[in-house]
Amino acid sequence: MQSFEWVDAESVEQAVSLLGEGSERAPVMAKAGGMDLLDLMKGGVVSPRRVVNLKTIKGLDGVRFDAKQGLELGTLVTLSRVSREPEVRRRFVALAEAAEHAATPQVRNAATLGGNLLQRPRCWYFRNEYFHQVEGNEVERVREGQNQYHAIFDNQRTVMVHASTPATALVAYGASVELSGPGGKTRVVPVSDFLLPPDMKRPSDTVIAPNEVLTRVRIPAPGAGTKAAYYKQGERESYDWPICDVAVVLQMDGQVVRQAAIALGWVAPTPRRAAEAEKLLVGKKLDEELARQAAKAAVSGATPLSKNAYKVPILEAVIRRTVIAAAKA
């Protein structure tokens, strides 16, 4: 790891100013929990000349719920707190479950929600500094290599998948992020638009600008009859990266589905909405057979690679189970 300057930011405005002083050759990067950034630095993938510590900024670790405005989470709220916060567990159970099943207890106690959304891919090629130095088409080399954990959807331009489990639930809930930039200006971006397909040539896999700070995550208030569920499938029950994860948010009128959102994680470059499956559910009485049909529709467009076709039936089963679990919640 190369030497770097460490700065404790006292305000969002100061952090924005410090981040704006970076350049492509001498980048300045922000750290919240630091779980991902320090891994990338130790691996030689990134070498910032300055690290701006956001943990010293007061007021970015709040949790607030309003019946009209919905849920607001500060970017520095830890995953551990998200998983056990009463209002989150009561009204946004899929997000609570996603946070609770991310990483290990030790990591969840330090990792922040904002940092989790901004983390880079866990692809073992991306994490290898020597792979970044080899000239040629890196996408094709990954596509033809050890691709068993890579994308089975939307994998024409990249086969890497986004690494956030809370992101899957946030997309299902229609969440947005607040970005603070120079001059006190802020902009709000839906999470589904905020995340970009992973790219080794970009400094971030999001639309955040180099001089912006992710300050809050907002989720609309759930409508009457809203039910939800989340499920993460790994190779083992103990800590492991997911093979896939699924978040389902339904608005029910008795046993009839009025609105449906099904988000699929770890199977595409960004969390993917299963639009055809959602359409299939709306306006119908939800039972085992309908859930089975929706799951089959959700995986119908999969384009697996040479070593990850096994993901398709696993994902189909997880979607079916999560839809049923949401209806029974």
Side-chain angles (χ1 to χ4, degrees):
M1 182 189 297
Q2 296 183 10
S3 60
F4 59 91
E5 177 189 9
W6 178 276
V7 181
D8 290 331
E10 296 181 358
S11 66
V12 172
E13 293 76 16
Q14 183 189 18
V16 166
S17 178
L18 290 167
L19 290 169
E21 295 175 5
S23 65
E24 186 175 347
R25 291 188 175 183
V28 176
M29 295 184 175
K31 181 203 79 71
M35 308 308 299
D36 186 39
L37 178 59
L38 294 180
D39 281 347
L40 292 169
M41 291 171 66
K42 287 186 288 186
V45 179
V46 299
S47 299
R49 68 175 177 87
R50 175 189 294 160
V51 173
V52 180
N53 180 23
L54 304 180
K55 294 280 281 185
T56 47
I57 301 176
K58 296 180 180 180
L60 292 184
D61 59 351
V63 176
R64 185 174 67 88
F65 176 78
D66 180 87
K68 293 183 178 180
Q69 299 298 321
L71 181 68
E72 183 178 279
L73 298 165
T75 189
L76 297 182
V77 174
T78 64
L79 298 185
S80 177
R81 185 178 172 194
V82 172
S83 70
R84 64 176 190 269
E85 189 70 29
E87 288 292 354
V88 180
R89 293 214 68 87
R90 184 179 303 115
R91 303 175 189 274
F92 304 94
V93 65
L95 176 59
E97 290 293 319
E100 186 174 22
H101 287 84
T104 64
Q106 296 92 333
V107 170
R108 291 194 295 271
N109 285 335
T112 64
L113 181 59
N116 185 270
L117 289 173
L118 289 166
Q119 69 182 305
R120 303 306 302 274
R122 295 291 165 176
C123 166
W124 40 40
Y125 294 102
F126 180 88
R127 297 274 162 171
N128 189 321
E129 64 175 309
Y130 300 106
F131 191 79
H132 289 252
Q133 299 169 10
V134 178
E135 294 184 2
N137 190 330
E138 71 272 5
V139 175
E140 288 304 317
R141 289 200 299 274
V142 177
R143 187 190 306 278
E144 297 169 4
Q146 298 300 318
N147 54 43
Q148 54 265 47
Y149 300 117
H150 291 77
I152 59 173
F153 293 101
D154 308 324
N155 50 13
Q156 291 75 33
R157 296 183 64 181
T158 180
V159 299
M160 292 184 285
V161 297
H162 194 270
S164 171
T165 49
T168 307
L170 290 171
V171 167
Y173 279 117
S176 300
V177 296
E178 177 190 271
L179 304 174
S180 297
K185 294 182 179 179
T186 61
R187 60 183 178 127
V188 177
V189 183
V191 172
S192 55
D193 296 332
F194 176 66
L195 303 175
L196 298 175
D199 189 332
M200 291 187 179
K201 296 180 174 63
R202 275 200 304 258
S204 172
D205 299 315
T206 69
V207 300
I208 192 170
N211 60 348
E212 286 183 320
V213 174
L214 196 167
T215 45
R216 290 173 183 83
V217 176
R218 298 172 179 172
I219 309 177
T226 296
K227 298 185 176 185
Y230 169 86
Y231 192 88
K232 166 189 168 183
Q233 181 64 58
E235 290 185 329
R236 51 189 176 179
E237 285 298 319
S238 60
Y239 163 69
D240 200 2
W241 298 110
I243 292 172
C244 64
D245 69 345
V246 175
V248 175
V249 179
L250 304 175
Q251 192 166 349
M252 306 287 292
D253 182 2
Q255 294 180 305
V256 177
V257 180
R258 294 306 180 196
Q259 293 183 31
I262 302 174
L264 317 177
W266 291 81
V267 292
T270 59
R272 174 185 172 88
R273 286 282 294 269
E276 291 304 315
E278 294 169 358
K279 292 177 184 177
L280 194 62
L281 293 178
V282 173
K284 298 176 183 176
K285 182 179 178 180
L286 183 53
D287 55 19
E288 289 266 358
E289 179 55 31
L290 183 60
R292 192 180 305 277
Q293 293 174 17
K296 190 171 292 292
V299 302
S300 62
T303 55
L305 306 172
S306 59
K307 296 180 175 66
N308 69 2
Y310 74 95
K311 275 192 171 190
V312 178
I314 291 175
L315 177 63
E316 182 177 344
V318 172
I319 294 169
R320 175 175 54 83
R321 293 170 185 171
T322 311
V323 168
I324 294 170
K328 294 180 179 179

